Amino acid sequence: METAATGAEMREGGHGWVDVSVPLRDGMLHWPDNPEIRVTRAQDMARGDAANVSHLSLGAHSGTHVDAPIHFIPEGVGVDALPLEATVGVARVLAIQDARAISVEALRRADVQAGERLLFKTANSSRHWASAPFRPDFVCLSVEGARYLAERRVRTVGIDYLSIGSPEAGAPTHQTLLRAGIVIIEGLDLSAIEPGTYDLVCLPLRLEKGDGAPARAILRRR
């Protein structure tokens, strides 16, 4: 008789799958001007209720999440209209050595191809970012890098922090990618992932006309 897997076993993988999304928890790190994350018990069996029922209060861009075009483009579509193949399929995890930003030079060295799903593993992954204070000097994608990816017509990009763009240049970075039809995954936990090619499944909540939504993301080495 099979037994349920523990959290650690699920992360390290039945059938080779590894969970690369961060657990959502009460009071966890969020983007400074976004809503706080609150997870509380609205009903609690310890208080005599018939069941445990949680109340969630959080921004759409909390934890591991997907950005939709409408996040930065007023006429853009919502997360519910994104094609499933944008975040389900073959993906490449790229190791980025630059401690400041993902540059055009790094992307050229990676021989980026049209239609690729690219996940960037940076120094953010070694900093246990989800349980640490917000740091504005996180490794991000440069605006020039975003333009290069748009020119190369990649399908999807993902990064191991709460934003693909820096606090100073987040808007132009996002706008460049989203206007090019590139889907953005943010807040990944790639600390246990080696560079290489993987199967990716990342499904955001289906929020109607949502500017973004929390997601569960898993990878399996090919």
Side-chain angles (χ1 to χ4, degrees), residues 67-71 73-83 209-211:
D67 286 354
I70 199 174
H71 183 33
I73 302 170
E75 70 277 13
V77 301
V79 71
D80 56 326
L82 295 177
K209 299 180 181 178
D211 47 86

Side-chain angles (χ1 to χ4, degrees), residues 100-168:
R100 299 186 63 184
I102 303 165
S103 65
V104 173
E105 291 73 21
L107 297 172
R108 285 187 178 134
R109 288 194 297 270
D111 191 24
V112 171
Q113 300 297 311
E116 277 200 288
R117 303 173 188 87
L118 302 173
L119 308 180
F120 300 117
K121 180 176 181 178
T122 74
N124 300 328
S125 285
S126 64
R127 296 169 177 166
H128 307 289
W129 67 264
S131 58
F134 179 80
R135 54 183 301 166
D137 61 340
F138 62 89
V139 184
C140 60
L141 176 65
S142 67
V143 176
E144 295 77 16
R147 292 176 185 145
Y148 180 80
L149 293 175
E151 292 169 1
R152 299 298 293 174
R153 303 192 313 279
V154 304
R155 186 194 303 263
T156 304
V157 295
I159 197 163
D160 51 356
Y161 205 73
L162 286 173
S163 176
I164 192 79
S166 70
E168 299 79 20

Side-chain angles (χ1 to χ4, degrees), residues 7-197:
E9 288 168 343
M10 290 176 67
R11 176 168 170 74
E12 296 176 3
H15 305 288
W17 289 102
V18 179
D19 195 332
V20 292
S21 47
V22 298
L24 285 171
R25 67 180 188 281
D26 186 66
M28 75 176 290
L29 177 69
H30 59 90
W31 193 257
D33 64 357
N34 279 204
E36 294 183 0
I37 300 169
R38 294 299 177 204
V39 183
T40 56
R41 282 280 171 84
Q43 297 180 33
D44 195 331
M45 295 176 71
R47 299 196 303 257
D49 294 319
N52 292 319
V53 178
S54 295
H55 176 87
L56 309 180
S57 176
L58 67 165
H61 302 268
S62 298
T64 307
H65 63 277
V66 172
D67 286 354
I70 199 174
H71 183 33
F72 276 93
I73 302 170
E75 70 277 13
V77 301
V79 71
D80 56 326
L82 295 177
L84 291 176
E85 60 268 23
T87 55
V88 177
V90 178
R92 191 154 57 112
V93 175
L94 300 179
I96 302 298
Q97 304 304 321
D98 195 310
R100 299 186 63 184
I102 303 165
S103 65
V104 173
E105 291 73 21
L107 297 172
R108 285 187 178 134
R109 288 194 297 270
D111 191 24
V112 171
Q113 300 297 311
E116 277 200 288
R117 303 173 188 87
L118 302 173
L119 308 180
F120 300 117
K121 180 176 181 178
T122 74
N124 300 328
S125 285
S126 64
R127 296 169 177 166
H128 307 289
W129 67 264
S131 58
F134 179 80
R135 54 183 301 166
D137 61 340
F138 62 89
V139 184
C140 60
L141 176 65
S142 67
V143 176
E144 295 77 16
R147 292 176 185 145
Y148 180 80
L149 293 175
E151 292 169 1
R152 299 298 293 174
R153 303 192 313 279
V154 304
R155 186 194 303 263
T156 304
V157 295
I159 197 163
D160 51 356
Y161 205 73
L162 286 173
S163 176
I164 192 79
S166 70
E168 299 79 20
T173 301
H174 280 83
Q175 289 163 349
T176 299
L177 296 172
L178 295 171
R179 286 196 183 280
I182 299 172
V183 174
I184 301 169
I185 306 171
E186 297 172 326
L188 291 166
D189 177 5
L190 300 177
S191 57
I193 302 298
E194 296 298 322
T197 304

